[in-house]
Amino acid sequence: MIKVENLTKRYAGQAAIRDLNFEVGKGEVMGFLGPNGAGKTTTMRILAGFMPATSGRASIAGFDIFEQSLQARTRLGYMPENVPLYSDMRVTEYLEYRAALKGVPHRRIAERVGDVKELCGVKDVERKIIGALSKGYRQRVGLADALLHEPDLLILDEPTIGLDPNQIRQVRELIKNLGRQHTILLSTHILPEVEMTCSRVIIIHKGRIEACDTPENLLGQIRKSSRKSRLCAMSRRMSMGSGMSFPCASNPALTCVRKFFGWQQHGTGRCAN
């Protein structure tokens, strides 16, 4: 569904992302995990057609996002971190307007708006002014907007940011349900979020991919890495006291996972399937 090859973006000579390589298969829920400033939003904006890359290639559903941008964008729904809603419109009025802009046939607009309101849980606020809604409901309206044209792919940039714990649980459950019918690329800086919602996760730092695996495998590596670190510290203390050497084996995969917590050095920029 998504294929990225050597994707790079520079601003005034500074690289925001460098030589990214990854693929997201149809039906996957892929987490894009990293601290603020890691390059998550830049990558998503490029994939959504909001900005060009400096170099590299990317495709959505087989369509090149630079040379076949319109065809690629009809296959995706994008919800940015700060959803740009019209605060003076009512929910239903806004969704009908957006459906028309996205080319939903006129005879199907009422049906699609009704479907996404039900799916995203905004039926009970459908007559309310968007500006009067809570942050959680505005996020839901933004998600409903992204779903109007029945895209194959959803790109969600920090969908739970600024929400209270109850709203976060509701949005995570909604994303899990959407993952049964859509391919999803989801960015976050919260490790438990990808553990709860994603089938695979990419860890990105300073514009480079540091690790790529299932949440279960990454968490397993983190636990093993923590135990190894404690054993190595113990062996070093024993060595100092006895004059003997207790070498600690180095595992590149564990080092890659540890970087998510220590953020030490750049990775390869590649995500292996």
Side-chain angles (χ1 to χ4, degrees), residues 139-229:
Q139 291 290 89
R140 287 169 175 265
V141 172
L143 190 51
D145 178 1
L147 288 164
L148 279 166
H149 58 301
E150 301 179 274
D152 299 319
L153 169 67
L154 287 174
I155 297 178
L156 310 178
D157 192 0
E158 303 270 9
T160 61
I161 192 168
L163 304 185
D164 64 41
N166 187 50
Q167 292 169 336
I168 288 173
R169 283 194 296 271
Q170 292 172 352
V171 171
R172 285 176 181 169
E173 189 61 34
L174 177 57
I175 290 169
K176 285 174 68 176
N177 292 335
L178 290 172
R180 299 189 183 108
Q181 301 175 14
H182 302 269
T183 304
I184 298 176
L185 179 62
L186 159 76
S187 80
T188 182
H189 58 269
I190 305 168
L191 184 59
E193 188 151 284
V194 295
E195 183 184 4
M196 294 175 190
T197 58
C198 300
S199 55
R200 204 154 54 97
V201 56
I202 294 170
I203 294 177
I204 184 172
H205 175 56
K206 293 184 178 179
R208 302 295 298 267
I209 290 174
E210 299 286 358
C212 179
D213 210 331
T214 64
E216 294 80 10
N217 287 345
L218 285 174
L219 287 169
Q221 291 178 35
I222 290 166
R223 294 187 187 101
K224 288 178 184 176
S225 178
S226 297
R227 285 197 295 270
K228 276 196 172 184
S229 295

Side-chain angles (χ1 to χ4, degrees), residues 56-71:
R57 301 183 65 83
S59 61
I60 302 288
F63 294 100
D64 187 287
I65 63 171
F66 308 121
E67 297 177 3
Q68 300 167 296
S69 178
L70 290 178
Q71 295 95 318

Side-chain angles (χ1 to χ4, degrees), residues 70-81:
L70 290 178
Q71 295 95 318
R73 280 188 280 174
T74 61
R75 268 73 178 180
L76 68 89
Y78 174 51
M79 190 178 88
E81 181 178 340

